[in-house]
Amino acid sequence: MNDHLQEIFSTLKKNKLRTALTGLSVSWGIFILIVLLGAGNGLKNGVMSNFSSRAVNRISLWSGTTSIPYNGLKSGRNLHFMEKEVSTIHHEVTQSDLITARSDKSQTISYGSEYGTYQVRGVMPAYCEIEKLVIQQGDGRFINQLDINQTNKVIVLDQKIVEVLFKGKPALGQYVKVGQLMFKVIGINSKKEQWGGSNAYIPFSTSQVIFNPDKKFNQIMFTVNGLETKAANERFDESLRNLMGRSLSFDPQDKQALWVNNTQAEYIETMKIFGGITIFVSIIGIFTLIAGIVGVSNIMLVTVKERTREIGIRKAIGAPPSSILKSIILESIIITAIFGYVGLMLGIGVTELVNFLMEQAAAANASSDSMQMSVFKNPTVDIGYAVFATVVLIIAGVLAGYLPARKAVKVHPIEAMREE
Amino acid sequence: MIDLKQLHKSYYTEAISLHVLKGISLHIDSGEYVSVMGASGSGKSTLLNILGILDTYDSGEYYLDGTLMKNLSEKQAAHYRNEMIGFVFQSFNLIGFKNALENVALPLYYKNVSRKKRNIIAMELLDKMGLKEWAYHMPSELSGGQKQRVAIARAMISNPRIILADEPTGALDSQTTVEVMDVLTHLNKQGITTIIVTHEKSVADATNRIIHLKDGMIEYETRKENGVHNTYTYAAQNL
């Protein structure tokens, strides 16, 4: 085999420039394929990371203002949830899993001489999992059912609030002042809000007692299971509106009365879009690659034409047809494989470089307050593509070489040797 | 060794058909030293190409070493060429991007002889041809005589039983012609059947048997017998 390769390399070396130019078209094809796939992946990973910072199967409900008269009630009524809605959803919506009510109040939180104004959220224990808050080892715990039952005055603070108020001193177990009341710090959340704000979390029951004497609030969040298609989500949203409509007395068709944000439906839609983008990108990449293969095939044809005399001589001195066929196809495979790999490596290099630069930028951003929303992340392709590309390259080489090789086999030695 | 019986060959183009060989019958024994002469278009190169299994014939029979050379596959033809026949061409037909040594060694590549071994054999042959110092030179750096000697070395490397030379001195000056003919004569003396197509009388005179072709037929032949050339008509041969 080594001997055959040496023989082939000696012919390839004969015309280095042309070999290089031929190979370049394949390199370019693979390079574009990898970069495009990387870009597609980057876009997908970026958007996915935004989804995954919260539960993807999350549904948020906001109570709104009615815009359609209903059951003798006028339009323009402000609607509010009460705790019964939470238990209605919990018990009647079979797909529901984790659930929390949420009421927000902007409050000044102070510790010693340090203070700041933050959103204080009254939430239930499931909030932690729905919003994927991060409470690290040694950073305490989130609000639990006991806190709810006993309306404990306990508080979980975002890392940034801790930094502002405590200036590096231990915060756990200390008391902070929220409005006029003292709350014990029981946990620190180190997940950053994508939009940069900082929150504090207190038991929902405590929040109701202190901030909402009328027991009204306007947000419920819960997770759902088993809604795999867009249609299923639409049906679910509709039945949810009907349920809430009955509970709060509004027309289920009244979109202003209840705002439903179904991340699951968005997620499914987005996945579909990215499926489309991946197909689109693959098609462009593959056509670029095909152009490269056609280029190789074309140049191999020219090469065979140019080497007619040499091939004739080889046949005259006893080269069997199979050997001629094999050598031309092998030449083609070697060109496509070597240059294809160069393109592959360059493509992977570029995607990795972009990834590296983006990670650097992200690390620099992490310490600042700027927005953490990303649309592009980890634009790399996995090893599966490299293996796939190797197979494609070899097949491409065979395809590109086959026609020229057939032509070479048909070369008639006498006529070939007459050519100058 | 070589037996031709009523061999016919025509070339067809869209407009015309050209009857090149018109019933050639010929017997050449092993070890003979033969030349084929004739004017341009007499069919001598076609005859040589058929003998070398580079071309096919339309009708008649061609036996090489007792085997009928008809309807051979490309692979079989390549095998016979590689095993039995060495070619020497007027225009040398060396591969331009290979040096002298690689050119000489090439037929052994197709016999799957290792690179190392075939280079040793090729070097020995080049040495015999007096070209050892030129082994690593490219054909473009060699003189006509040197090129032809490289080509002869290449023809010799697979120990052929027949050497077919098509105008081997056609591109050479008279001094070099003598040198090349000396090499071919030497080879023939080693027992290799040598057939040379030429239109140079001096070249033909070096051989023992001269076949004269005219219009695709053997007109007559001349044999060197006891140092004297005797002429035989083709008809007389067959009588």
Side-chain angles (χ1 to χ4, degrees), chain A residues 1-131:
Chain A
M1 193 62 200
N2 185 29
D3 198 22
H4 295 309
L5 285 180
Q6 275 193 28
E7 183 65 23
I8 285 162
F9 276 114
S10 80
T11 35
L12 287 178
K13 271 197 294 191
K14 183 184 63 162
N15 206 330
K16 294 191 194 78
L17 180 67
R18 187 171 58 204
T19 305
L21 288 176
T22 310
L24 202 64
S25 61
V26 178
S27 288
W28 183 245
I30 288 280
F31 176 78
I32 289 290
L33 181 68
I34 295 295
V35 168
L36 281 177
L37 285 173
N41 273 355
L43 207 57
K44 187 172 173 177
N45 292 339
V47 175
M48 285 293 290
S49 77
N50 295 330
F51 272 113
S52 60
S53 65
R54 293 193 173 91
V56 286
N57 54 345
R58 178 188 60 133
I59 291 177
S60 303
L61 303 179
W62 285 271
S63 57
T65 307
T66 59
S67 61
I68 303 172
Y70 180 72
N71 244 357
L73 298 165
K74 61 173 182 165
S75 62
R77 282 179 300 130
N78 285 329
L79 298 179
H80 296 282
F81 296 126
M82 305 279 275
E83 280 196 59
K84 76 175 166 65
E85 272 78 40
V86 177
S87 69
T88 304
I89 291 171
H90 190 54
H91 293 114
E92 293 190 25
V93 178
T94 51
Q95 296 93 332
S96 71
D97 183 18
L98 305 164
I99 189 161
T100 179
R102 176 180 138 185
S103 69
D104 289 3
K105 263 290 188 285
S106 189
Q107 291 288 330
T108 300
I109 305 179
S110 58
Y111 177 75
S113 59
E114 305 294 339
Y115 63 92
T117 304
Y118 303 100
Q119 286 281 320
V120 176
R121 290 189 172 165
V123 294
M124 294 172 175
Y127 182 89
C128 184
E129 206 175 319
I130 295 172
E131 284 288 301

Side-chain angles (χ1 to χ4, degrees), chain A residues 116-183:
Chain A
T117 304
Y118 303 100
Q119 286 281 320
V120 176
R121 290 189 172 165
V123 294
M124 294 172 175
Y127 182 89
C128 184
E129 206 175 319
I130 295 172
E131 284 288 301
K132 293 197 175 161
L133 298 189
V134 181
I135 295 176
Q136 278 162 352
Q137 195 77 32
D139 276 351
R141 61 170 178 87
F142 197 67
I143 292 152
N144 61 25
Q145 195 55 43
L146 198 67
D147 296 325
I148 302 280
N149 296 345
Q150 299 179 346
T151 55
N152 285 341
K153 290 210 290 289
V154 291
I155 192 163
V156 174
L157 299 175
D158 274 0
Q159 180 72 41
K160 227 161 78 199
I161 302 178
V162 172
E163 282 164 17
V164 170
L165 298 183
F166 291 89
K167 304 275 186 228
K169 285 177 278 185
L172 281 184
Q174 301 297 314
Y175 285 83
V176 292
K177 201 168 166 189
V178 178
Q180 299 304 314
L181 294 166
M182 301 304 281
F183 279 73

Side-chain angles (χ1 to χ4, degrees), chain B residues 29-34 156 163 181-195 206-208:
Chain B
D29 276 325
S30 183
E32 273 199 78
Y33 194 16
V34 183
M156 291 306 303
I163 291 273
M181 284 312 294
D182 282 349
V183 173
L184 288 173
T185 305
H186 179 71
L187 290 178
N188 175 254
K189 285 197 172 133
Q190 291 175 354
I192 299 170
T193 311
T194 308
I195 304 171
T207 64
N208 298 328

